[in-house]
Amino acid sequence: MTTRATRSPRRRTVVALAVILAILAAFVVRLIDIQVVKADEHVSESLKYISVGTPLPGQRGSIVDADGTVLAESVTVYDWNIDPQVVFLLEDDEKNPPEIPWAEAAQRIAEITGLDAETLRTEVESQHAADPDSRWYQVKKGLTTEQHIELKDLKAQGLPYMHFTARETRVYPNGAVAGNVIGYLNGEGEAQAGIEKMDSQCLAPTDGEESYRTGKDGVIIPGSETRVDAVDGGAVQLTINSDLQWYMQQMIAEEAQAQGAKGGTVTVVEVKTGKIRAAAEWPTMDPNDLDASGSSTWGSMLFSRTFEPGSTFKAVTAAAVMENAGVTMTSPTVTASSHEKFENGAVINDAFVHPAFQYTLAGALIDSSNVALSKFGTMVSPDVRYDYLQRFGVGEPTVGFPNEQGGELHPTADWDNQSLYTTTFGQYFTVTAPQVAGAYQAIANGGEKIDLSLIESCTAADGTVVTPDAPEHDQIIAPQTAADLTRMLENVAVQGGNAERIEVPGYRVTSKTGTAQVPDGNGGYKQGIYYTSMVGFAPVDDPQYVVVVTLDEPTRITSSAATAPAFQKAMTQTMKTYRVMPSSTPMDALLPKFE
């Protein structure tokens, strides 16, 4: 039997348990209401109290030359402003006048920024008079760190109306040196051309971010701060030698203007590596001041301008017939006059009038006879010659430069009666100057063609060095064929019409000129107007560097002889820059031009 004494504690326990269960039930109901029924509403409300801080910008990487000389870098500059309203509130406060009167402050600001003090005072005062509520006047943009520090010190002396904004800008310390190769950024910091665009993946930084949460009153919630640091862009090292590049740019500008040409280029390639050591052109673009030159110069003519190579590619025809038709440097011979009509109706002319000569292959190259090369070239099939043009790089870009052209190589099915012959002496297909350099690199390198390169490496912000894939090596002709071509090209340099003009004292040099007709835009060619070129390498006994010079429509001398002075200067400077040892062995006996 349950007594009153025992019933009372049990009743209290039951009641307490009921209360607890009721409270738990209320919490469960409320929790379901918050997390399920009104989940979307509460999520939206909570987002009001999350604030994401400003991004943490990383710095774009630098571009340096082969020796580490900086060609492009990002620096912090400062834009300083004045609050005119505060200037004159202080000036008009008779009880608490400014420590530095406005007239004196303007003078000191002008001295630091390089402005005219009177102009600064007048403009600020005029702006305030026109609009007493004006709060902003631009003092000067792009001030250096040194100027920024001086202005901050001046502001601390009692100029509360001075304000600044820091920003990153791209600068090119060597100005126009390799400017067309380096490229530039637009106003939003986006790469537009050149290496800036070509290797933007390495150069571009990864921005960081600061974020935090705040309560309704804007106070940061403790422990909610997060920070992801920015990662600066990597440094791109080029194969370019900036000293040699500077010289070539100055020289080709002088030579192009002396010849009345529209433009000119110089390409220097290292024979044993395929590295481009100079890629100079005129007109030149200074990425620090794009408006100083026309937009047509904001890319690289050297990589984008295609032209018919003309006689420079007679060496490729010679390689094809030597390896596939049993032709040697001196036999067999062909009979060629300066003007001939072939059985299929094609008419071929030489650049100079001469009677019928019994030309050797060496002689055909030395005299640059189109007729003789036509006869030698057609000793092999068009397909064989097409294959050799491809082997030597026609139709394929060299380094993947932005907007680089690969040239045009028509299939043999499109070769008509005339182009069957003109393709033997560098017409009816187009190339760029680097492609010409690449072709002669293979000849100079014993027949081994190495892909050209312009970028040496990318060094990440953490010091990791990433190099491009190793260039492909391809033995495109036999070493003996390359040796014979080299000997014939040396004879071109010694026995050709430009011999005295291209001589480099102490060095045995090869050379070959090219004269390309210029399209008139209407399916024909401009009369008497040419795109001229000259290519060669040195020293013959140990080839080190290939040099290619082009001139766009020279008018003083319209033939390829116009390029001779520039070629001689370019080759001489290249030998000096790299301290190449002079030739130590004499030239072999001269090759006969005729039988």
Side-chain angles (χ1 to χ4, degrees), residues 85-108:
Q85 187 183 72
V86 175
V87 169
F88 292 99
L89 282 174
L90 292 175
E91 285 292 298
D92 296 339
D93 189 343
E94 296 180 357
K95 293 183 179 180
N96 297 293
E99 295 181 22
I100 304 176
W102 165 238
E104 180 184 344
Q107 179 66 42
R108 294 172 66 175

Side-chain angles (χ1 to χ4, degrees), residues 171-188:
V171 296
Y172 303 87
N174 282 276
V177 176
N180 299 78
V181 173
I182 295 168
Y184 63 96
L185 310 181
N186 63 14
E188 285 70 46

Side-chain angles (χ1 to χ4, degrees), residues 314-315 318 321-322 327-334 358-369 372-373 376 484-493 495-496 511-512 587 589-595:
K314 287 176 179 174
V321 300
M322 289 197 318
V327 176
T328 70
M329 294 182 288
T330 57
S331 67
T333 60
V334 297
Q358 200 70 20
Y359 271 114
T360 64
L361 182 60
L365 290 177
I366 293 167
D367 278 359
S368 204
S369 170
L373 258 295
F376 276 116
D484 291 344
L485 284 173
T486 298
R487 186 177 176 190
M488 288 190 289
L489 291 169
E490 183 178 16
N491 274 263
V492 173
Q495 297 189 61
S511 76
K512 194 73 191 80
M587 179 182 177
L590 295 179
L591 292 171
K593 295 198 297 182
F594 316 115
E595 185 179 63

Side-chain angles (χ1 to χ4, degrees), residues 205-282:
T206 301
D207 289 345
E209 182 182 78
E210 277 186 330
S211 64
Y212 51 87
R213 295 182 179 184
T214 63
K216 288 185 176 181
D217 55 1
V219 175
I220 296 176
I221 299 173
S224 68
E225 301 95 332
T226 61
R227 178 186 175 94
V228 177
D229 290 329
V231 178
D232 292 339
V236 171
Q237 184 172 35
L238 306 182
T239 60
I240 295 290
N241 179 310
S242 59
D243 290 338
L244 183 64
Q245 177 80 18
W246 176 86
Y247 174 87
M248 295 304 183
Q249 286 185 205
Q250 303 304 309
M251 183 275 293
I252 197 61
E254 293 174 2
E255 288 295 327
Q257 292 174 79
Q259 294 294 342
K262 290 183 176 180
T265 73
V266 181
T267 310
V268 179
V269 168
E270 196 167 72
V271 169
K272 292 177 172 58
T273 65
K275 294 178 181 179
I276 298 174
R277 296 306 188 184
E281 58 191 273
W282 178 84

Side-chain angles (χ1 to χ4, degrees), residues 492-512:
V492 173
V494 172
Q495 297 189 61
N498 293 305
E500 293 183 0
R501 289 190 288 270
I502 65 171
E503 183 179 4
V504 180
Y507 297 90
R508 292 168 56 191
V509 178
T510 69
S511 76
K512 194 73 191 80

